[in-house]
Amino acid sequence: MAESAPRNILITGASSGIGEALALHYAAPGISLVLTGRDSGRLEQVVAACRAKGATASGHAVPVTDAGAMAQLIEASLPLDLVVANAGISGGFKNWDEFDPHVREIAAVNIDGVFNTVNPAAQFMVRQGHGQIAVVASMASFVALPGAAIYSASKAFARLYAEGLRGQLAKHNVRVSAICPGFVVSRMTAKNRFPMPFLMDAERAAGIIARGLARNQGRIAFPWRMLALMRLLETLPYPLTAWLLRRAPAKD
């Protein structure tokens, strides 16, 4: 069953990619958008584009790794109908001396950043008696990619956390969805130096996500051909899956 369209929306990682596309998708008269992003210059461009479409929009260069600042921003933005925990980073490392800081940097954004966005939002939505939370994971959450171990692990956390919270929060009339896109055109995927099957533009991805959220889908995974490939890998004997994945390209 379709739910009422959200009017008060907070999106992290809104300065590019899926976050930017979602902001522009929802932007319209009567819509309030609170947007965060690391690139303040690009974020202001997105804010201006949303305002040009008639929305009330504000940009905040608040890092999702700052728990206190995120909690304050969410509280100051209430009431909220929809919170999208979209901020995320990826990348590789050049040598093993960089491994530990590389892992911790990605985990700080992709794991702690989800906590810092979702947890205060969930508490406020429980008190207000309604709301929706979307957590952007990835198709990489379904398999352990040797070339992007922490990215896969962090996105698996994001997906499982969202899917677990969905059951916990349903009785409070708070809806939760895990978003699992394949390759989407963004500054993150622009760094990849390998073929990206079923690459999709961000605007199309935003439309799929928004329709899934309106239908209250617990898991919004797309494109279906990429999902089918992930499912196939999951069904193969693990030694064969591991052998195949070791031949996949690593993140730059």
Side-chain angles (χ1 to χ4, degrees):
M1 180 180 298
E3 300 284 345
S4 299
R7 305 192 70 81
N8 301 294
I9 303 166
L10 184 147
I11 303 171
T12 67
S15 59
S16 65
I18 288 176
E20 176 184 5
L22 279 172
L24 293 171
H25 178 90
Y26 283 115
I31 303 299
S32 173
L33 294 165
V34 178
L35 310 176
T36 79
R38 291 182 296 161
D39 188 326
S40 57
R42 284 189 57 86
L43 183 63
E44 284 307 312
Q45 293 177 13
V46 177
V47 168
C50 291
R51 289 173 178 167
K53 297 182 71 172
T56 299
S58 60
H60 306 267
V62 176
V64 294
T65 53
D66 188 330
M70 282 300 301
Q72 289 175 8
L73 176 62
I74 289 170
E75 184 173 15
S77 304
L78 294 176
L80 286 166
D81 303 312
L82 171 62
V83 169
V84 183
N86 168 71
I89 61 173
S90 183
F93 60 97
K94 302 299 183 184
N95 58 68
W96 283 95
D97 290 338
E98 300 173 359
F99 176 65
D100 184 68
H102 159 76
V103 167
R104 293 182 186 278
E105 179 185 15
I106 292 180
V109 176
N110 295 5
I111 296 178
D112 290 343
V114 169
F115 283 143
N116 297 340
T117 306
V118 170
N119 294 5
Q123 294 174 66
F124 288 123
M125 287 180 177
V126 166
R127 291 174 198 156
Q128 72 184 14
H130 66 88
Q132 186 169 31
I133 297 169
V135 180
V136 177
S138 169
M139 282 289 178
S141 69
F142 294 105
V143 294
L145 297 174
I150 182 56
Y151 183 76
S152 293
S154 65
K155 291 303 184 178
F157 157 79
R159 176 173 63 82
L160 291 172
Y161 194 53
E163 292 175 353
L165 284 178
R166 180 178 174 85
Q168 282 189 299
L169 291 171
K171 62 185 177 182
H172 299 288
N173 196 32
V174 177
R175 295 164 283 137
V176 185
S177 297
I179 315 300
C180 301
F183 292 111
V184 174
V185 175
S186 68
R187 286 189 294 169
M188 184 185 296
T189 55
K191 298 176 183 178
N192 293 340
R193 297 292 180 262
F194 51 83
M196 293 177 282
F198 319 121
L199 181 66
M200 180 182 297
D201 64 76
E203 293 74 18
R204 184 181 173 200
I208 293 170
I209 293 169
R211 288 191 294 275
L213 292 176
R215 292 192 290 265
N216 190 25
Q217 290 177 216
R219 181 189 292 171
I220 304 169
F222 60 93
W224 69 266
R225 289 176 294 178
M226 179 67 82
L227 180 61
L229 178 60
M230 294 297 103
R231 290 304 194 196
L232 175 61
L233 287 171
E234 285 184 309
T235 62
L236 294 176
Y238 178 71
L240 177 56
T241 301
W243 183 84
L244 290 170
L245 291 175
R246 278 199 300 272
R247 280 146 183 81
K251 289 276 189 181
D252 290 332

